[in-house]
């Protein structure tokens, strides 16, 4: 309830104080950044792709680390696993498959997102039997935040 007083109006004589109720609808969210504090490791050797990913995820409140190779990612993960790993498609290979198996053995629902070189789609993990989500480079800014949100929330 909100009370508004208008001093010295003509209605004062007749009605006194004017009162009106304001419906505020839904209460504001207490968590506008639901992934804040989540840790993401980006595996990319190309600076332009790193910048593109960083810019797309900038306002999500994430902790983001960057490495240039799968070997560096393996070293990084020895000290503790992030919540998700984003990897450029040219980094995928036998070494990444081995790292993915090691991580999945420890954390079965670990989030992997591959940035494919061309394309404008988001393919969630589990689609076509793959346990890696895919985002086309053409839609990183618009789709990567949603993809990461979707993939991380599947494990909740």
């Amino acid at each position: 309830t909100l009370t508004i007083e208008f001093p010295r109006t003509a209605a004062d004589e007749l009605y006194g104080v004017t009162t009106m109720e304001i419906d505020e609808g839904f209460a504001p969210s207490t968590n506008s950044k639901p992934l804040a504090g989540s840790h993401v490791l980006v595996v990319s050797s190309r600076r332009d792709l790193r910048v593109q990913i960083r810019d797309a995820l900038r306002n999500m409140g994430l902790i983001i680390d960057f490495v240039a190779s799968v070997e560096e990612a393996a070293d990084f993960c020895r000290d503790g696993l992030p919540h998700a790993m984003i990897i450029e498609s040219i980094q995928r290979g036998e070494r990444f498959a081995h790292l993915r198996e090691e991580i999945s053995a420890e954390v079965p629902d670990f989030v992997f997102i591959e940035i494919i070189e061309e394309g404008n789609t988001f393919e969630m993990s589990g689609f076509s039997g793959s346990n890696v989500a895919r985002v086309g480079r053409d839609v990183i800014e618009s789709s990567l935040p949603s993809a990461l949100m979707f993939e991380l929330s599947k494990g909740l």
Side-chain angles (χ1 to χ4, degrees):
T1 303
L2 172 69
T3 302
I4 301 175
E5 294 182 355
F6 298 98
R8 290 184 241 146
T9 63
D12 281 349
E13 297 285 323
L14 298 172
Y15 304 109
V17 177
T18 303
T19 303
M20 59 192 258
E21 292 185 27
I22 298 176
D23 182 4
E24 294 181 11
F26 296 105
S29 172
T30 57
N31 191 3
S32 62
K33 295 181 180 182
L35 298 181
S38 293
H39 189 190
V40 177
L41 179 63
V42 178
V43 184
S44 174
S45 59
R46 296 182 293 176
R47 186 182 190 298
D48 61 324
L49 183 57
R50 288 178 182 212
V51 169
Q52 196 175 3
I53 292 169
R54 184 198 67 215
D55 289 348
L57 303 178
R58 173 174 288 150
N59 296 319
M60 295 182 71
L62 300 167
I63 299 166
I64 305 172
D65 284 302
F66 297 87
V67 295
S69 68
V70 174
E71 289 75 23
E72 289 180 27
D75 289 341
F76 184 94
C77 290
R78 283 191 194 104
D79 294 332
L81 287 177
H83 295 102
M85 186 179 297
I86 299 171
I87 184 166
E88 65 180 326
S89 61
I90 62 171
Q91 296 282 344
R92 290 205 52 185
E94 190 174 316
R95 180 66 185 116
F96 174 71
H98 180 68
L99 177 61
R100 192 178 78 212
E101 287 174 14
E102 288 177 4
I103 292 172
S104 294
E106 189 174 329
V107 182
D109 293 332
F110 189 84
V111 173
F112 293 99
I113 298 177
E114 176 184 3
I115 303 298
I116 55 177
E117 202 52 40
E118 292 185 19
N120 57 4
T121 60
F122 160 51
E123 184 179 296
M124 65 183 160
S125 63
F127 189 76
S128 303
S130 174
N131 61 351
V132 176
R134 290 180 177 80
V135 174
R137 184 156 184 198
D138 298 337
V139 292
I140 286 176
E141 188 170 328
S142 61
S143 296
L144 184 58
S146 299
L148 191 58
M149 176 85 75
F150 177 79
E151 293 294 325
L152 285 170
S153 66
K154 283 176 26 178
L156 298 177

